[in-house]
Amino acid sequence: MVHDNSTFWQRQNAIANAENLTSSQKLLLYVLNNHVGNGAVAWPSIATLCKASGLAEKSVRRTIKALQTAGILDVETGGGRTSNRYTISLSALSGTSGQSASGHDQKPGHDDQGSTGQTAGAGVAEFQDEQPRTTTQHPKAGGSKILGRRVSAAEAWAVACEAVQRFDPLYEPDRIRELLDERTRSAARAVGGLPRIAGRDRYTTTKIRAAFIEAYNEQGAAHV
Amino acid sequence: MSDEQTNFQRCQSAIMAASRLTSSQKLVLFAISNAAKDSEFGSLGSDELQTATALSANVLAKVTSELAERGVLLVVMQEGQKPRYRIDVDALQRDG
């Protein structure tokens, strides 16, 4: 890796000081910047990025897309036979203090369980039916009955993680939460939306994940 | 190319090549390596490390503890000063 030191360090410092990037975005940018040769262009393969960052392939692709949307990363596709070419925009990176490189639910400073373990916490997540629909089937609120009995939040979470890993063994437990949040909404839409609870449209993550378990087992992998 | 630059690049390469580290562990090491630049030790306040990684204080505490237990990271705490970190690149290449 031959660095033009001044521009390399300008990018490194800009990545480190950026306020509205997620941890995955910063990590991928550090890796990409290390691959940058002269001219601020790098062309590592997705596999290389996965190995260097420790992120799963889907996380890498999602993070690249988010950075591209934010204008921080310019991607020139390789056409399938060669790697994509990546250019980091220092000006866009330096201006991230006022803009959000969104495209992912994870916020800066989010309590990401990045090393081991998973969180079975019952935080509150807002979910609103984006399209009012006539529902014919509602997952039962207040816990999953997949196991023939009501399960605790921790057990439902463990079942959901196991279900996702059976479906896609590439996903490590510390990435399952963000994946489930995304897929749970898809699963909820697949079964016609979540039932309203006493007229409110706020659902705990426990109930959302329970809905995912039911949807996953009833509808199969086709809806996730 | 000076030896100091080579040490920094060696550290960054070792982080990327480490197959047993999680993404959060790699991220913390990148941030510390960046702070150290050409020096043996990197000095980072907790706020600076949070900004450089976008990880929460709880996760950072857990990750730095894990890295220290693996012998990859040495943490030196001094009263009234920022924590100082040293990445053991040999340990990283051996056990990472």
Side-chain angles (χ1 to χ4, degrees):
Chain A
M1 290 176 279
V2 178
H3 297 306
D4 176 340
N5 286 341
S6 60
T7 54
F8 170 78
W9 281 113
Q10 283 178 29
R11 285 191 297 269
Q12 282 293 83
N13 293 334
I15 295 166
N17 295 329
E19 294 178 355
N20 283 331
L21 295 181
T22 66
S23 55
S24 297
Q25 290 163 356
K26 285 188 180 248
L27 175 57
L28 201 63
L29 285 171
Y30 285 137
V31 171
L32 279 169
N33 198 32
N34 266 283
H35 281 88
V36 164
N38 293 329
V41 178
W43 48 91
S45 65
I46 295 292
T48 298
L49 291 174
C50 291
K51 183 182 175 186
S53 65
L55 296 169
E57 180 179 337
K58 287 196 178 181
S59 291
V60 168
R61 291 186 184 278
R62 183 169 53 232
T63 302
I64 288 173
K65 189 173 180 182
L67 290 170
Q68 196 177 2
T69 301
I72 294 170
L73 199 60
D74 180 61
V75 182
E76 183 182 328
T77 56
R81 284 190 169 270
T82 60
S83 302
N84 294 336
R85 295 167 65 85
Y86 304 96
T87 305
I88 301 173
S89 168
L90 180 58
S91 57
L93 199 53
S94 301
T96 56
S97 58
Q99 297 175 12
S100 173
S102 61
H104 194 272
D105 291 336
Q106 186 179 11
K107 294 190 175 120
H110 181 69
D111 197 353
D112 182 25
Q113 296 292 324
S115 52
T116 57
Q118 55 221 17
T119 305
V124 175
E126 285 190 24
F127 179 83
Q128 297 178 342
D129 281 340
E130 295 169 349
Q131 298 174 6
R133 57 179 78 226
T134 301
T135 58
T136 56
Q137 184 178 5
H138 294 283
K140 292 187 184 295
S144 169
K145 287 192 172 179
I146 295 299
L147 301 179
R149 56 181 171 80
R150 288 200 176 273
V151 298
S152 66
E155 196 169 358
W157 174 237
V159 172
C161 285
E162 185 186 342
V164 171
Q165 281 200 301
R166 279 203 306 271
F167 174 65
D168 190 344
L170 288 179
Y171 283 96
E172 298 174 357
D174 62 338
R175 289 289 167 242
I176 287 178
R177 180 175 60 187
E178 60 188 69
L179 174 68
L180 274 179
D181 286 343
E182 179 183 324
R183 289 185 170 179
T184 301
R185 294 193 184 92
S186 300
R189 281 196 288 270
V191 296
L194 294 177
R196 294 192 178 277
I197 302 172
R200 293 174 292 149
D201 53 6
R202 273 180 173 247
Y203 305 94
T204 64
T205 51
T206 305
K207 291 179 171 59
I208 292 172
R209 286 171 182 141
F212 169 83
I213 297 168
E214 295 203 82
Y216 183 85
N217 281 279
E218 291 174 9
Q219 306 280 348
H223 288 284
V224 295
Chain B
M1 183 180 299
S2 67
D3 288 341
E4 292 168 337
Q5 271 186 325
T6 303
N7 287 338
F8 170 77
Q9 291 178 349
R10 182 170 165 249
C11 182
Q12 297 270 307
S13 295
I15 295 169
M16 289 193 289
S19 58
R20 299 181 193 176
L21 297 183
T22 66
S23 55
S24 292
Q25 290 169 343
K26 287 183 180 239
L27 178 57
V28 169
L29 289 175
F30 272 126
I32 292 171
S33 176
N34 290 340
K37 290 185 174 63
D38 302 331
S39 304
E40 183 181 3
F41 281 87
S43 183
L44 275 172
S46 57
D47 289 346
E48 291 172 313
L49 192 53
Q50 274 190 262
T51 300
T53 60
L55 294 172
S56 69
N58 287 342
V59 173
L60 279 172
K62 184 176 179 184
V63 171
T64 52
S65 175
E66 290 169 350
L67 289 170
E69 284 177 17
R70 294 177 74 133
V72 170
L73 187 66
L74 173 68
V75 184
V76 179
M77 307 289 290
Q78 290 180 291
E79 189 75 28
Q81 296 184 15
K82 294 179 185 178
R84 299 173 72 217
Y85 302 90
R86 178 182 176 275
I87 298 173
D88 188 333
V89 180
D90 292 328
L92 188 57
Q93 290 174 329
R94 185 174 59 245
D95 302 324

PDB file of all heavy atoms in Angstrom, chain A residues 59-79:
ATOM      1  N   SER A  59     -23.988  -6.916   5.032  1.00  0.00           N
ATOM      2  CA  SER A  59     -23.690  -5.679   5.756  1.00  0.00           C
ATOM      3  C   SER A  59     -22.763  -4.798   4.942  1.00  0.00           C
ATOM      4  O   SER A  59     -22.929  -3.575   4.903  1.00  0.00           O
ATOM      5  CB  SER A  59     -23.053  -5.994   7.109  1.00  0.00           C
ATOM      6  OG  SER A  59     -23.977  -6.585   7.976  1.00  0.00           O
ATOM      7  N   VAL A  60     -21.765  -5.413   4.320  1.00  0.00           N
ATOM      8  CA  VAL A  60     -20.841  -4.634   3.495  1.00  0.00           C
ATOM      9  C   VAL A  60     -21.588  -3.972   2.348  1.00  0.00           C
ATOM     10  O   VAL A  60     -21.427  -2.776   2.093  1.00  0.00           O
ATOM     11  CB  VAL A  60     -19.706  -5.543   2.952  1.00  0.00           C
ATOM     12  CG1 VAL A  60     -18.905  -4.817   1.866  1.00  0.00           C
ATOM     13  CG2 VAL A  60     -18.779  -5.961   4.086  1.00  0.00           C
ATOM     14  N   ARG A  61     -22.411  -4.725   1.668  1.00  0.00           N
ATOM     15  CA  ARG A  61     -23.144  -4.174   0.523  1.00  0.00           C
ATOM     16  C   ARG A  61     -24.097  -3.071   0.965  1.00  0.00           C
ATOM     17  O   ARG A  61     -24.226  -2.034   0.306  1.00  0.00           O
ATOM     18  CB  ARG A  61     -23.918  -5.283  -0.201  1.00  0.00           C
ATOM     19  CG  ARG A  61     -23.018  -6.286  -0.918  1.00  0.00           C
ATOM     20  CD  ARG A  61     -23.838  -7.264  -1.739  1.00  0.00           C
ATOM     21  NE  ARG A  61     -23.002  -8.290  -2.350  1.00  0.00           N
ATOM     22  CZ  ARG A  61     -22.313  -8.129  -3.479  1.00  0.00           C
ATOM     23  NH1 ARG A  61     -22.357  -6.984  -4.117  1.00  0.00           N
ATOM     24  NH2 ARG A  61     -21.582  -9.122  -3.965  1.00  0.00           N
ATOM     25  N   ARG A  62     -24.764  -3.285   2.078  1.00  0.00           N
ATOM     26  CA  ARG A  62     -25.695  -2.277   2.579  1.00  0.00           C
ATOM     27  C   ARG A  62     -24.953  -1.005   2.987  1.00  0.00           C
ATOM     28  O   ARG A  62     -25.414   0.106   2.740  1.00  0.00           O
ATOM     29  CB  ARG A  62     -26.482  -2.855   3.759  1.00  0.00           C
ATOM     30  CG  ARG A  62     -27.538  -1.913   4.314  1.00  0.00           C
ATOM     31  CD  ARG A  62     -28.448  -2.621   5.296  1.00  0.00           C
ATOM     32  NE  ARG A  62     -27.705  -3.297   6.331  1.00  0.00           N
ATOM     33  CZ  ARG A  62     -27.878  -4.577   6.651  1.00  0.00           C
ATOM     34  NH1 ARG A  62     -28.759  -5.312   6.017  1.00  0.00           N
ATOM     35  NH2 ARG A  62     -27.180  -5.121   7.615  1.00  0.00           N
ATOM     36  N   THR A  63     -23.806  -1.188   3.611  1.00  0.00           N
ATOM     37  CA  THR A  63     -23.020  -0.034   4.053  1.00  0.00           C
ATOM     38  C   THR A  63     -22.482   0.737   2.853  1.00  0.00           C
ATOM     39  O   THR A  63     -22.490   1.972   2.846  1.00  0.00           O
ATOM     40  CB  THR A  63     -21.862  -0.504   4.949  1.00  0.00           C
ATOM     41  OG1 THR A  63     -22.392  -1.230   6.057  1.00  0.00           O
ATOM     42  CG2 THR A  63     -21.066   0.681   5.463  1.00  0.00           C
ATOM     43  N   ILE A  64     -22.031   0.024   1.846  1.00  0.00           N
ATOM     44  CA  ILE A  64     -21.554   0.688   0.625  1.00  0.00           C
ATOM     45  C   ILE A  64     -22.674   1.513   0.005  1.00  0.00           C
ATOM     46  O   ILE A  64     -22.479   2.666  -0.397  1.00  0.00           O
ATOM     47  CB  ILE A  64     -21.034  -0.358  -0.391  1.00  0.00           C
ATOM     48  CG1 ILE A  64     -19.710  -0.949   0.079  1.00  0.00           C
ATOM     49  CG2 ILE A  64     -20.869   0.266  -1.775  1.00  0.00           C
ATOM     50  CD1 ILE A  64     -19.215  -2.103  -0.762  1.00  0.00           C
ATOM     51  N   LYS A  65     -23.855   0.927  -0.037  1.00  0.00           N
ATOM     52  CA  LYS A  65     -24.984   1.629  -0.637  1.00  0.00           C
ATOM     53  C   LYS A  65     -25.314   2.895   0.150  1.00  0.00           C
ATOM     54  O   LYS A  65     -25.602   3.952  -0.418  1.00  0.00           O
ATOM     55  CB  LYS A  65     -26.199   0.695  -0.672  1.00  0.00           C
ATOM     56  CG  LYS A  65     -27.357   1.245  -1.480  1.00  0.00           C
ATOM     57  CD  LYS A  65     -28.448   0.205  -1.607  1.00  0.00           C
ATOM     58  CE  LYS A  65     -29.612   0.759  -2.425  1.00  0.00           C
ATOM     59  NZ  LYS A  65     -30.716  -0.212  -2.523  1.00  0.00           N
ATOM     60  N   ALA A  66     -25.282   2.792   1.484  1.00  0.00           N
ATOM     61  CA  ALA A  66     -25.585   3.958   2.315  1.00  0.00           C
ATOM     62  C   ALA A  66     -24.558   5.065   2.098  1.00  0.00           C
ATOM     63  O   ALA A  66     -24.904   6.248   2.007  1.00  0.00           O
ATOM     64  CB  ALA A  66     -25.638   3.552   3.786  1.00  0.00           C
ATOM     65  N   LEU A  67     -23.304   4.689   2.023  1.00  0.00           N
ATOM     66  CA  LEU A  67     -22.247   5.686   1.803  1.00  0.00           C
ATOM     67  C   LEU A  67     -22.348   6.295   0.413  1.00  0.00           C
ATOM     68  O   LEU A  67     -22.076   7.479   0.217  1.00  0.00           O
ATOM     69  CB  LEU A  67     -20.875   5.020   1.988  1.00  0.00           C
ATOM     70  CG  LEU A  67     -20.509   4.627   3.424  1.00  0.00           C
ATOM     71  CD1 LEU A  67     -19.264   3.765   3.445  1.00  0.00           C
ATOM     72  CD2 LEU A  67     -20.305   5.865   4.292  1.00  0.00           C
ATOM     73  N   GLN A  68     -22.754   5.464  -0.525  1.00  0.00           N
ATOM     74  CA  GLN A  68     -22.928   5.960  -1.885  1.00  0.00           C
ATOM     75  C   GLN A  68     -24.081   6.956  -1.930  1.00  0.00           C
ATOM     76  O   GLN A  68     -23.975   8.015  -2.546  1.00  0.00           O
ATOM     77  CB  GLN A  68     -23.217   4.769  -2.806  1.00  0.00           C
ATOM     78  CG  GLN A  68     -23.054   5.042  -4.274  1.00  0.00           C
ATOM     79  CD  GLN A  68     -23.280   3.786  -5.112  1.00  0.00           C
ATOM     80  OE1 GLN A  68     -23.602   2.717  -4.592  1.00  0.00           O
ATOM     81  NE2 GLN A  68     -23.093   3.913  -6.404  1.00  0.00           N
ATOM     82  N   THR A  69     -25.165   6.625  -1.248  1.00  0.00           N
ATOM     83  CA  THR A  69     -26.324   7.521  -1.196  1.00  0.00           C
ATOM     84  C   THR A  69     -25.967   8.856  -0.556  1.00  0.00           C
ATOM     85  O   THR A  69     -26.445   9.911  -0.971  1.00  0.00           O
ATOM     86  CB  THR A  69     -27.466   6.860  -0.406  1.00  0.00           C
ATOM     87  OG1 THR A  69     -27.819   5.626  -1.038  1.00  0.00           O
ATOM     88  CG2 THR A  69     -28.690   7.753  -0.351  1.00  0.00           C
ATOM     89  N   ALA A  70     -25.103   8.789   0.445  1.00  0.00           N
ATOM     90  CA  ALA A  70     -24.694  10.010   1.143  1.00  0.00           C
ATOM     91  C   ALA A  70     -23.670  10.804   0.352  1.00  0.00           C
ATOM     92  O   ALA A  70     -23.290  11.907   0.764  1.00  0.00           O
ATOM     93  CB  ALA A  70     -24.122   9.656   2.511  1.00  0.00           C
ATOM     94  N   GLY A  71     -23.209  10.262  -0.747  1.00  0.00           N
ATOM     95  CA  GLY A  71     -22.237  10.974  -1.563  1.00  0.00           C
ATOM     96  C   GLY A  71     -20.809  10.867  -1.064  1.00  0.00           C
ATOM     97  O   GLY A  71     -19.909  11.526  -1.579  1.00  0.00           O
ATOM     98  N   ILE A  72     -20.599  10.044  -0.046  1.00  0.00           N
ATOM     99  CA  ILE A  72     -19.253   9.900   0.513  1.00  0.00           C
ATOM    100  C   ILE A  72     -18.417   8.952  -0.334  1.00  0.00           C
ATOM    101  O   ILE A  72     -17.206   9.102  -0.455  1.00  0.00           O
ATOM    102  CB  ILE A  72     -19.351   9.379   1.966  1.00  0.00           C
ATOM    103  CG1 ILE A  72     -20.010  10.446   2.850  1.00  0.00           C
ATOM    104  CG2 ILE A  72     -17.979   9.011   2.521  1.00  0.00           C
ATOM    105  CD1 ILE A  72     -20.369   9.968   4.228  1.00  0.00           C
ATOM    106  N   LEU A  73     -19.098   7.980  -0.922  1.00  0.00           N
ATOM    107  CA  LEU A  73     -18.401   6.971  -1.710  1.00  0.00           C
ATOM    108  C   LEU A  73     -18.953   6.964  -3.126  1.00  0.00           C
ATOM    109  O   LEU A  73     -20.161   6.927  -3.341  1.00  0.00           O
ATOM    110  CB  LEU A  73     -18.635   5.603  -1.058  1.00  0.00           C
ATOM    111  CG  LEU A  73     -17.687   4.468  -1.400  1.00  0.00           C
ATOM    112  CD1 LEU A  73     -16.258   4.814  -1.012  1.00  0.00           C
ATOM    113  CD2 LEU A  73     -18.123   3.188  -0.688  1.00  0.00           C
ATOM    114  N   ASP A  74     -18.051   7.018  -4.079  1.00  0.00           N
ATOM    115  CA  ASP A  74     -18.443   6.876  -5.478  1.00  0.00           C
ATOM    116  C   ASP A  74     -18.045   5.470  -5.920  1.00  0.00           C
ATOM    117  O   ASP A  74     -16.898   5.056  -5.726  1.00  0.00           O
ATOM    118  CB  ASP A  74     -17.742   7.926  -6.343  1.00  0.00           C
ATOM    119  CG  ASP A  74     -18.143   7.803  -7.798  1.00  0.00           C
ATOM    120  OD1 ASP A  74     -19.347   7.953  -8.074  1.00  0.00           O
ATOM    121  OD2 ASP A  74     -17.281   7.499  -8.635  1.00  0.00           O
ATOM    122  N   VAL A  75     -19.002   4.754  -6.487  1.00  0.00           N
ATOM    123  CA  VAL A  75     -18.755   3.374  -6.874  1.00  0.00           C
ATOM    124  C   VAL A  75     -18.890   3.228  -8.377  1.00  0.00           C
ATOM    125  O   VAL A  75     -19.945   3.530  -8.945  1.00  0.00           O
ATOM    126  CB  VAL A  75     -19.751   2.418  -6.170  1.00  0.00           C
ATOM    127  CG1 VAL A  75     -19.442   0.970  -6.543  1.00  0.00           C
ATOM    128  CG2 VAL A  75     -19.696   2.600  -4.667  1.00  0.00           C
ATOM    129  N   GLU A  76     -17.828   2.759  -8.987  1.00  0.00           N
ATOM    130  CA  GLU A  76     -17.863   2.466 -10.424  1.00  0.00           C
ATOM    131  C   GLU A  76     -17.897   0.952 -10.546  1.00  0.00           C
ATOM    132  O   GLU A  76     -16.957   0.266 -10.139  1.00  0.00           O
ATOM    133  CB  GLU A  76     -16.614   3.043 -11.094  1.00  0.00           C
ATOM    134  CG  GLU A  76     -16.578   2.873 -12.603  1.00  0.00           C
ATOM    135  CD  GLU A  76     -15.275   3.421 -13.185  1.00  0.00           C
ATOM    136  OE1 GLU A  76     -14.738   4.389 -12.617  1.00  0.00           O
ATOM    137  OE2 GLU A  76     -14.794   2.832 -14.175  1.00  0.00           O
ATOM    138  N   THR A  77     -19.015   0.423 -11.055  1.00  0.00           N
ATOM    139  CA  THR A  77     -19.194  -1.017 -11.065  1.00  0.00           C
ATOM    140  C   THR A  77     -18.205  -1.685 -12.005  1.00  0.00           C
ATOM    141  O   THR A  77     -17.849  -1.141 -13.061  1.00  0.00           O
ATOM    142  CB  THR A  77     -20.616  -1.397 -11.479  1.00  0.00           C
ATOM    143  OG1 THR A  77     -20.889  -0.802 -12.742  1.00  0.00           O
ATOM    144  CG2 THR A  77     -21.619  -0.893 -10.463  1.00  0.00           C
ATOM    145  N   GLY A  78     -17.814  -2.884 -11.590  1.00  0.00           N
ATOM    146  CA  GLY A  78     -16.811  -3.600 -12.354  1.00  0.00           C
ATOM    147  C   GLY A  78     -17.381  -4.499 -13.421  1.00  0.00           C
ATOM    148  O   GLY A  78     -16.652  -5.191 -14.115  1.00  0.00           O
ATOM    149  N   GLY A  79     -18.713  -4.540 -13.519  1.00  0.00           N
ATOM    150  CA  GLY A  79     -19.325  -5.318 -14.590  1.00  0.00           C
ATOM    151  C   GLY A  79     -19.329  -6.811 -14.358  1.00  0.00           C
ATOM    152  O   GLY A  79     -19.525  -7.577 -15.280  1.00  0.00           O
TER     153      GLY A  79
END
